[in-house]
Amino acid sequence: MTAAILDRIDVRVGGMTCPHCPPAIEKAINAIAGVTSAHINIAEKIARVAYDPSRAKVADILRVIRSLGYTVGTATARIPIKNMHCSSCVIRIELAVRMTPGVVSARASLGPNAVDVEYQPELVDFQAIRRAIESAGYRVAEPKIEPTAEELDPVEAANAEEYRTFMRKFWFAAAISVPVMALSYPDLIPGLRDWMPAGSDTRRIVWAFLGVLSLPVLVWAGSQFFTGMWDALKYRAVMHTLIAIGISAAFAYSIVAVAWPGIFPNMALAEVFWDVTDVVVALVVLGLALEIKAKGRTSQAIKKLIGLQAKTARVIRDGKEIDIAVEEVLVNDVVVVRPGEKIPVDGQVTAGSSAVDESMITGESMPVEKQIGDEVIGGTLNKTGSFRFKATKVGKDTALASIIRMVKDAQGSKAPIQRVVDTVSGYFVPTVMILAVLAGVAWYDFGPEPRVVFATVILVTTLIIACPCALGLATPTSLTVGIGKGAENGILIRSGDALQAAEKLDAIILDKTGTITKGEPAVTDVVVTPGHNEANVLRLTASLERGSEHPLGEAIVKGAEARKLKLSDAEAFAAIPGHGVSGRVDGHDVLFGNAKLMRDRGISIAMLETEWGRLANEGKTPMYVSIDNKAAGLVAVADTVKADSKAAIEVLKGLGIEVVMLTGDNERTGRAIGREVGVERVLAEVLPDDKAHEVQKLQLEGKSVGMVGDGVNDAPALAQADVGFAIGTGTDVAIEASDVTLIKGSLMGVVTAIEISRATMRNVRQNLVGAFGYNTLGIPVAMGVLYPFIGLLLSPLIAAAAMAFSSVTVVTNANRLRFFQPRKAGS
């Protein structure tokens, strides 16, 4: 079933303060006639509405939102564009859209071939923006709402159509070029030389026929070079202007040579350049087609992510299992998942257990065990067992849908280096046109005979070789692949700015809790006195703590259960505030707490004080255990370090990055964790409100600083840093404030993000050097600078081939990033 072709508006909604707000707004908007779907993303505070513009108006949607007591801000839309090929196209589209009253900002990109527009919905509608784009000479690809994995999205569909069109034009122009080239130079072919002698009427008649034959190539196969050229010249910013002028000049010269040969002082000057027109059009169009084909490979990450989405779900309704489309799953539906099936939406396991392969989301290859109460992610693959879960996020709220949206948005963004390139490209075209004219005039005035022919060839060649396609594609294609590669490895990079900034980091601040460590206490050591064994001491302590609500007690219970110890019920349980707990377990009097509690009860702990000091110096929290009024041992609890934190920190240091640990814990605990993971610079006892200040102080040292955190109190520091990395297992607030989100919560993700950034920016520089180098070397050669020295004069045909394949080379080089493999912990 084909998705509906509709308009869509993403409008910011203010005043949403509780979980009940989104359903109320969605229900009210969906009640509007002509609205196909309405969805509120509470994290982004955006209402996403798809509607039929012939039946529903934006004003109706805004009025309904305001009638519920909410405020309406700006709207955003991504509009896919056809026939956008270079930086000049980008500048032209952005200028046209920005000049539309009511538009706040417009950002076009060659990566997704689209323009992101922020506008005031009361002043301008989607149709007005569309008309502005079309008035600039470009076509809008009809947006489809929620394309499935089987059908192409609007941009991909437009690219596929454009590719087929270009290939038809190429084959047509190539077929015409063969006889035209042969008959344009009869003196080089023995049989034709006698039949078409120089200056004969036969030669003029044949050449006139070739002109008629070449006319469809110029008008149809080369039509994209002339479409909207007048508007383009107003913006001084379209590369097709150069091609159009070049082939037009060759065609016009040929018409004069055939129709009025007498105006030339020498009949030898009355040559035709139909072959230049035909072959240049064929080669440039082929280059555009190959470029589109190669660019299609840069968005493989998005295609893979969309392909992860399940198509159906098995839910329980009215006591029966039924299969429904995944779009019909509702929040709180009970979903059944069997072995080998994809999990359709996000939810929480309510019955059963299994191992789930989450590699497609997190990049982690090992399956994750899921028990009752655990979260599951839509799009991941159930491996072994069957289970049921309650749907908590559906539609565009699912983690996978959010990832797809974030990656698409990021691929449409620009890196700072791209803005410089766009500016240069804006002046490049008129500069080249001036140089081409000056070169033509110089050759006409000072060049050898036949000067007219030389001047024409120089003019045409210079215009053709200088088209800035490769320059415009150098950055966005690499960014598209790099950001997509991050998504494949569980790293969401929000923008090109973040990607470029991550390359330059020379200091990383790591929040301790939840970033270096797991963020939850666990049993690390059990020390016993003579006559006791570790298992029994831990079993009795955990049995006693089952009645406690203290986090440390919970950690001890989990530690005992992990060791498969059988716990008993405690009798006469009593909590002693600030000291510990007491009770009777299996006929034994058990006391668990601090040194003061033991001394108050007259229990000697001298034999354990050395071990207590050692554990405390390691940043752990040791507690005394007594059994039947005698010291039995120590149980130490600590927030344990994640398995790969130390390895990740070593790699970061190897990349030349200073690693700093920041914690609210005391100096001793902070230093102990720092020693364990290899961090020398530790900022301890930092209050939540001071975290951003610590980032700022490091920046004042002249460093480019990255911040890694996971909590609400990390959000200001993440925003202050040059690049903020949020642990994806943390809070939504931290994720929203960050530039990079690490889905699987491992510090190796920071390493991978930096390596992807460096690889991408290295690729960008390679592309820019190649593109600038091509133009820097090609333009002087095309202008004939080398002719006086070595007799080299570039043919327009070679110039066309070089220009066309320079773009393909840039895109192909960008696609090399697809083979990037992140290093693993310990490698």
Side-chain angles (χ1 to χ4, degrees), residues 202-246:
T202 304
R203 179 173 289 198
R204 297 297 164 201
I205 292 170
V206 171
W207 279 355
F209 172 73
L210 295 183
V212 174
L213 202 60
S214 298
L215 188 60
V217 175
L218 185 76
V219 174
W220 178 66
S223 60
Q224 63 277 348
F225 305 134
F226 299 96
T227 302
M229 191 176 83
W230 176 246
D231 290 334
L233 290 172
K234 289 190 297 184
Y235 290 105
R236 303 177 303 149
V238 66
M239 73 95 177
H240 284 167
T241 301
L242 301 178
I243 296 290
I245 293 175

Short mmCIF file of all heavy atoms in Angstrom, two decimals, residues 202-246:
data_model
loop_
_atom_site.label_atom_id
_atom_site.label_comp_id
_atom_site.label_asym_id
_atom_site.label_seq_id
_atom_site.Cartn_x
_atom_site.Cartn_y
_atom_site.Cartn_z
N THR A 202 28.34 19.93 -50.32
CA THR A 202 27.99 18.65 -49.65
C THR A 202 28.34 18.71 -48.18
O THR A 202 27.55 18.30 -47.31
CB THR A 202 28.73 17.47 -50.32
OG1 THR A 202 28.43 17.44 -51.71
CG2 THR A 202 28.34 16.15 -49.65
N ARG A 203 29.56 19.20 -47.90
CA ARG A 203 29.98 19.30 -46.49
C ARG A 203 29.05 20.23 -45.72
O ARG A 203 28.66 19.93 -44.59
CB ARG A 203 31.42 19.80 -46.40
CG ARG A 203 31.93 19.95 -44.97
CD ARG A 203 33.39 20.27 -44.90
NE ARG A 203 34.22 19.13 -45.28
CZ ARG A 203 35.53 19.02 -44.98
NH1 ARG A 203 36.13 19.98 -44.30
NH2 ARG A 203 36.22 17.97 -45.36
N ARG A 204 28.67 21.37 -46.30
CA ARG A 204 27.78 22.30 -45.60
C ARG A 204 26.42 21.69 -45.35
O ARG A 204 25.83 21.87 -44.28
CB ARG A 204 27.62 23.59 -46.42
CG ARG A 204 28.89 24.37 -46.62
CD ARG A 204 29.43 24.86 -45.28
NE ARG A 204 30.83 25.28 -45.41
CZ ARG A 204 31.67 25.35 -44.39
NH1 ARG A 204 31.26 25.06 -43.18
NH2 ARG A 204 32.92 25.72 -44.58
N ILE A 205 25.91 20.94 -46.34
CA ILE A 205 24.59 20.32 -46.20
C ILE A 205 24.62 19.26 -45.10
O ILE A 205 23.73 19.17 -44.26
CB ILE A 205 24.13 19.71 -47.55
CG1 ILE A 205 23.86 20.83 -48.56
CG2 ILE A 205 22.88 18.84 -47.35
CD1 ILE A 205 23.64 20.33 -49.96
N VAL A 206 25.70 18.43 -45.10
CA VAL A 206 25.82 17.38 -44.07
C VAL A 206 25.94 18.02 -42.70
O VAL A 206 25.31 17.59 -41.73
CB VAL A 206 27.04 16.48 -44.36
CG1 VAL A 206 27.30 15.54 -43.18
CG2 VAL A 206 26.81 15.67 -45.62
N TRP A 207 26.76 19.10 -42.60
CA TRP A 207 26.91 19.76 -41.30
C TRP A 207 25.60 20.41 -40.83
O TRP A 207 25.32 20.44 -39.65
CB TRP A 207 28.02 20.81 -41.40
CG TRP A 207 29.40 20.20 -41.28
CD1 TRP A 207 29.69 18.90 -41.01
CD2 TRP A 207 30.64 20.87 -41.43
NE1 TRP A 207 31.05 18.70 -40.97
CE2 TRP A 207 31.66 19.90 -41.22
CE3 TRP A 207 31.01 22.18 -41.72
CZ2 TRP A 207 33.02 20.21 -41.30
CZ3 TRP A 207 32.37 22.50 -41.78
CH2 TRP A 207 33.37 21.52 -41.58
N ALA A 208 24.84 20.93 -41.78
CA ALA A 208 23.54 21.48 -41.42
C ALA A 208 22.63 20.39 -40.88
O ALA A 208 21.88 20.58 -39.90
CB ALA A 208 22.90 22.15 -42.64
N PHE A 209 22.69 19.21 -41.51
CA PHE A 209 21.91 18.06 -41.02
C PHE A 209 22.34 17.67 -39.61
O PHE A 209 21.51 17.35 -38.75
CB PHE A 209 22.06 16.89 -42.00
CG PHE A 209 21.46 15.61 -41.49
CD1 PHE A 209 20.08 15.42 -41.44
CD2 PHE A 209 22.29 14.58 -41.04
CE1 PHE A 209 19.54 14.24 -40.96
CE2 PHE A 209 21.75 13.40 -40.55
CZ PHE A 209 20.36 13.23 -40.51
N LEU A 210 23.67 17.70 -39.38
CA LEU A 210 24.17 17.37 -38.03
C LEU A 210 23.65 18.35 -36.99
O LEU A 210 23.40 17.99 -35.84
CB LEU A 210 25.71 17.37 -38.03
CG LEU A 210 26.41 16.31 -38.88
CD1 LEU A 210 27.92 16.42 -38.71
CD2 LEU A 210 25.94 14.91 -38.52
N GLY A 211 23.54 19.64 -37.41
CA GLY A 211 22.99 20.64 -36.49
C GLY A 211 21.56 20.32 -36.10
O GLY A 211 21.17 20.44 -34.93
N VAL A 212 20.77 19.91 -37.09
CA VAL A 212 19.38 19.51 -36.81
C VAL A 212 19.36 18.29 -35.90
O VAL A 212 18.55 18.19 -34.98
CB VAL A 212 18.62 19.23 -38.13
CG1 VAL A 212 17.23 18.69 -37.84
CG2 VAL A 212 18.54 20.50 -38.97
N LEU A 213 20.28 17.36 -36.16
CA LEU A 213 20.35 16.14 -35.34
C LEU A 213 20.77 16.46 -33.91
O LEU A 213 20.33 15.81 -32.96
CB LEU A 213 21.37 15.19 -35.99
CG LEU A 213 21.26 13.69 -35.66
CD1 LEU A 213 19.91 13.14 -36.09
CD2 LEU A 213 22.39 12.91 -36.35
N SER A 214 21.63 17.48 -33.75
CA SER A 214 22.13 17.84 -32.42
C SER A 214 21.15 18.69 -31.62
O SER A 214 21.29 18.81 -30.40
CB SER A 214 23.46 18.59 -32.54
OG SER A 214 24.43 17.79 -33.14
N LEU A 215 20.20 19.30 -32.33
CA LEU A 215 19.27 20.20 -31.64
C LEU A 215 18.51 19.51 -30.51
O LEU A 215 18.39 20.07 -29.41
CB LEU A 215 18.30 20.82 -32.65
CG LEU A 215 17.40 21.93 -32.10
CD1 LEU A 215 18.24 23.09 -31.56
CD2 LEU A 215 16.43 22.41 -33.18
N PRO A 216 17.97 18.26 -30.69
CA PRO A 216 17.29 17.59 -29.57
C PRO A 216 18.22 17.32 -28.39
O PRO A 216 17.78 17.31 -27.24
CB PRO A 216 16.79 16.27 -30.18
CG PRO A 216 16.75 16.51 -31.65
CD PRO A 216 17.87 17.47 -31.93
N VAL A 217 19.52 17.10 -28.69
CA VAL A 217 20.47 16.89 -27.59
C VAL A 217 20.57 18.16 -26.75
O VAL A 217 20.53 18.12 -25.52
CB VAL A 217 21.86 16.50 -28.15
CG1 VAL A 217 22.87 16.40 -27.01
CG2 VAL A 217 21.77 15.18 -28.90
N LEU A 218 20.68 19.30 -27.44
CA LEU A 218 20.78 20.57 -26.74
C LEU A 218 19.51 20.89 -25.97
O LEU A 218 19.55 21.26 -24.79
CB LEU A 218 21.08 21.68 -27.74
CG LEU A 218 21.34 23.08 -27.15
CD1 LEU A 218 22.73 23.13 -26.54
CD2 LEU A 218 21.20 24.14 -28.23
N VAL A 219 18.37 20.71 -26.65
CA VAL A 219 17.09 21.15 -26.07
C VAL A 219 16.55 20.17 -25.04
O VAL A 219 16.03 20.57 -24.00
CB VAL A 219 16.05 21.36 -27.20
CG1 VAL A 219 14.68 21.68 -26.62
CG2 VAL A 219 16.50 22.48 -28.12
N TRP A 220 16.68 18.85 -25.30
CA TRP A 220 16.10 17.87 -24.36
C TRP A 220 17.14 17.30 -23.40
O TRP A 220 17.03 17.45 -22.19
CB TRP A 220 15.42 16.73 -25.12
CG TRP A 220 14.85 15.69 -24.18
CD1 TRP A 220 13.83 15.87 -23.30
CD2 TRP A 220 15.32 14.34 -24.00
NE1 TRP A 220 13.61 14.70 -22.57
CE2 TRP A 220 14.52 13.75 -22.99
CE3 TRP A 220 16.32 13.57 -24.59
CZ2 TRP A 220 14.68 12.44 -22.57
CZ3 TRP A 220 16.49 12.25 -24.17
CH2 TRP A 220 15.68 11.71 -23.16
N ALA A 221 18.20 16.68 -23.95
CA ALA A 221 19.20 16.07 -23.07
C ALA A 221 19.90 17.11 -22.21
O ALA A 221 20.28 16.85 -21.08
CB ALA A 221 20.21 15.29 -23.90
N GLY A 222 20.05 18.34 -22.74
CA GLY A 222 20.71 19.38 -21.97
C GLY A 222 19.74 20.36 -21.34
O GLY A 222 20.15 21.44 -20.88
N SER A 223 18.45 19.99 -21.29
CA SER A 223 17.43 20.93 -20.82
C SER A 223 17.66 21.40 -19.39
O SER A 223 17.39 22.55 -19.05
CB SER A 223 16.04 20.29 -20.93
OG SER A 223 15.97 19.11 -20.14
N GLN A 224 18.20 20.49 -18.53
CA GLN A 224 18.40 20.88 -17.12
C GLN A 224 19.42 22.00 -16.99
O GLN A 224 19.43 22.73 -16.00
CB GLN A 224 18.83 19.68 -16.27
CG GLN A 224 20.15 19.05 -16.63
CD GLN A 224 20.03 18.07 -17.79
OE1 GLN A 224 18.92 17.70 -18.19
NE2 GLN A 224 21.15 17.67 -18.35
N PHE A 225 20.29 22.18 -18.00
CA PHE A 225 21.27 23.25 -17.93
C PHE A 225 20.65 24.62 -18.21
O PHE A 225 21.21 25.65 -17.85
CB PHE A 225 22.42 22.98 -18.91
CG PHE A 225 23.08 21.65 -18.71
CD1 PHE A 225 23.36 20.82 -19.80
CD2 PHE A 225 23.42 21.20 -17.45
CE1 PHE A 225 23.96 19.59 -19.62
CE2 PHE A 225 24.02 19.96 -17.26
CZ PHE A 225 24.29 19.16 -18.35
N PHE A 226 19.51 24.59 -18.88
CA PHE A 226 18.87 25.86 -19.26
C PHE A 226 17.65 26.19 -18.40
O PHE A 226 17.24 27.34 -18.34
CB PHE A 226 18.44 25.80 -20.73
CG PHE A 226 19.58 25.60 -21.68
CD1 PHE A 226 19.91 24.33 -22.13
CD2 PHE A 226 20.36 26.67 -22.09
CE1 PHE A 226 20.98 24.14 -22.99
CE2 PHE A 226 21.42 26.49 -22.96
CZ PHE A 226 21.73 25.22 -23.41
N THR A 227 17.11 25.16 -17.73
CA THR A 227 15.90 25.38 -16.93
C THR A 227 16.18 26.37 -15.80
O THR A 227 17.03 26.17 -14.95
CB THR A 227 15.41 24.05 -16.33
OG1 THR A 227 15.16 23.14 -17.38
CG2 THR A 227 14.11 24.26 -15.56
N GLY A 228 15.46 27.44 -15.83
CA GLY A 228 15.61 28.44 -14.78
C GLY A 228 16.95 29.15 -14.76
O GLY A 228 17.35 29.70 -13.75
N MET A 229 17.70 29.14 -15.92
CA MET A 229 19.02 29.75 -15.91
C MET A 229 18.96 31.26 -15.66
O MET A 229 19.84 31.82 -15.01
CB MET A 229 19.74 29.47 -17.23
CG MET A 229 21.22 29.86 -17.19
SD MET A 229 22.12 29.44 -18.70
CE MET A 229 21.72 30.83 -19.74
N TRP A 230 17.93 31.88 -16.16
CA TRP A 230 17.82 33.33 -15.95
C TRP A 230 17.69 33.66 -14.46
O TRP A 230 18.36 34.56 -13.94
CB TRP A 230 16.62 33.88 -16.72
CG TRP A 230 16.40 35.34 -16.47
CD1 TRP A 230 15.33 35.91 -15.84
CD2 TRP A 230 17.27 36.42 -16.82
NE1 TRP A 230 15.48 37.27 -15.78
CE2 TRP A 230 16.66 37.62 -16.37
CE3 TRP A 230 18.50 36.50 -17.46
CZ2 TRP A 230 17.25 38.87 -16.54
CZ3 TRP A 230 19.09 37.75 -17.62
CH2 TRP A 230 18.46 38.92 -17.17
N ASP A 231 16.83 32.89 -13.75
CA ASP A 231 16.71 33.08 -12.31
C ASP A 231 18.04 32.78 -11.61
O ASP A 231 18.42 33.46 -10.65
CB ASP A 231 15.62 32.18 -11.73
CG ASP A 231 14.23 32.63 -12.16
OD1 ASP A 231 14.06 33.83 -12.45
OD2 ASP A 231 13.33 31.78 -12.21
N ALA A 232 18.73 31.77 -12.12
CA ALA A 232 20.00 31.39 -11.51
C ALA A 232 21.01 32.52 -11.59
O ALA A 232 21.76 32.79 -10.65
CB ALA A 232 20.56 30.14 -12.18
N LEU A 233 21.05 33.19 -12.74
CA LEU A 233 22.01 34.28 -12.91
C LEU A 233 21.73 35.42 -11.93
O LEU A 233 22.64 36.13 -11.51
CB LEU A 233 21.97 34.79 -14.35
CG LEU A 233 22.55 33.82 -15.39
CD1 LEU A 233 22.30 34.33 -16.79
CD2 LEU A 233 24.05 33.63 -15.15
N LYS A 234 20.46 35.59 -11.55
CA LYS A 234 20.14 36.64 -10.58
C LYS A 234 20.79 36.34 -9.23
O LYS A 234 21.14 37.24 -8.48
CB LYS A 234 18.61 36.75 -10.41
CG LYS A 234 17.91 37.35 -11.62
CD LYS A 234 16.45 37.67 -11.31
CE LYS A 234 15.66 36.43 -10.99
NZ LYS A 234 14.22 36.73 -10.78
N TYR A 235 20.93 35.03 -8.93
CA TYR A 235 21.54 34.65 -7.65
C TYR A 235 23.05 34.46 -7.78
O TYR A 235 23.73 34.23 -6.78
CB TYR A 235 20.92 33.34 -7.13
CG TYR A 235 19.50 33.51 -6.68
CD1 TYR A 235 18.44 33.03 -7.45
CD2 TYR A 235 19.20 34.14 -5.48
CE1 TYR A 235 17.13 33.19 -7.04
CE2 TYR A 235 17.89 34.30 -5.06
CZ TYR A 235 16.86 33.81 -5.84
OH TYR A 235 15.57 33.96 -5.43
N ARG A 236 23.60 34.50 -8.99
CA ARG A 236 25.03 34.29 -9.24
C ARG A 236 25.50 32.96 -8.68
O ARG A 236 26.61 32.85 -8.18
CB ARG A 236 25.88 35.40 -8.61
CG ARG A 236 25.53 36.80 -9.05
CD ARG A 236 26.37 37.81 -8.33
NE ARG A 236 26.23 37.70 -6.89
CZ ARG A 236 27.19 37.98 -6.02
NH1 ARG A 236 28.36 38.38 -6.44
NH2 ARG A 236 26.97 37.87 -4.72
N ALA A 237 24.66 31.93 -8.75
CA ALA A 237 25.04 30.77 -7.95
C ALA A 237 24.59 29.43 -8.49
O ALA A 237 24.12 28.62 -7.74
CB ALA A 237 24.46 30.94 -6.54
N VAL A 238 24.73 29.17 -9.75
CA VAL A 238 24.37 27.84 -10.21
C VAL A 238 25.41 27.34 -11.21
O VAL A 238 25.79 28.03 -12.14
CB VAL A 238 22.95 27.82 -10.84
CG1 VAL A 238 22.90 28.63 -12.11
CG2 VAL A 238 22.48 26.40 -11.08
N MET A 239 25.86 26.14 -10.97
CA MET A 239 26.93 25.60 -11.79
C MET A 239 26.45 25.30 -13.20
O MET A 239 27.22 25.37 -14.16
CB MET A 239 27.50 24.34 -11.13
CG MET A 239 26.62 23.11 -11.19
SD MET A 239 27.02 22.04 -12.55
CE MET A 239 25.89 20.69 -12.27
N HIS A 240 25.16 25.02 -13.39
CA HIS A 240 24.66 24.70 -14.73
C HIS A 240 24.78 25.89 -15.67
O HIS A 240 24.75 25.72 -16.89
CB HIS A 240 23.20 24.24 -14.64
CG HIS A 240 23.08 22.84 -14.12
ND1 HIS A 240 21.88 22.29 -13.72
CD2 HIS A 240 24.01 21.87 -13.94
CE1 HIS A 240 22.08 21.05 -13.30
NE2 HIS A 240 23.36 20.79 -13.42
N THR A 241 24.91 27.09 -15.13
CA THR A 241 25.10 28.27 -15.97
C THR A 241 26.35 28.12 -16.82
O THR A 241 26.36 28.47 -18.01
CB THR A 241 25.21 29.53 -15.09
OG1 THR A 241 24.03 29.66 -14.32
CG2 THR A 241 25.41 30.78 -15.94
N LEU A 242 27.41 27.60 -16.23
CA LEU A 242 28.66 27.44 -16.96
C LEU A 242 28.50 26.45 -18.11
O LEU A 242 28.96 26.69 -19.24
CB LEU A 242 29.77 26.98 -16.02
CG LEU A 242 30.08 27.91 -14.84
CD1 LEU A 242 31.17 27.31 -13.97
CD2 LEU A 242 30.49 29.28 -15.33
N ILE A 243 27.87 25.33 -17.83
CA ILE A 243 27.65 24.32 -18.87
C ILE A 243 26.76 24.90 -19.97
O ILE A 243 27.03 24.74 -21.15
CB ILE A 243 26.98 23.06 -18.27
CG1 ILE A 243 27.91 22.41 -17.25
CG2 ILE A 243 26.63 22.07 -19.38
CD1 ILE A 243 29.12 21.77 -17.84
N ALA A 244 25.68 25.55 -19.55
CA ALA A 244 24.73 26.09 -20.52
C ALA A 244 25.41 27.09 -21.45
O ALA A 244 25.22 27.05 -22.68
CB ALA A 244 23.56 26.75 -19.79
N ILE A 245 26.19 28.00 -20.91
CA ILE A 245 26.88 29.00 -21.74
C ILE A 245 27.90 28.31 -22.65
O ILE A 245 28.04 28.66 -23.83
CB ILE A 245 27.56 30.06 -20.86
CG1 ILE A 245 26.49 30.89 -20.12
CG2 ILE A 245 28.43 30.97 -21.70
CD1 ILE A 245 27.06 31.88 -19.13
N GLY A 246 28.62 27.33 -22.11
CA GLY A 246 29.64 26.64 -22.89
C GLY A 246 29.07 25.92 -24.10
O GLY A 246 29.55 26.10 -25.23
#
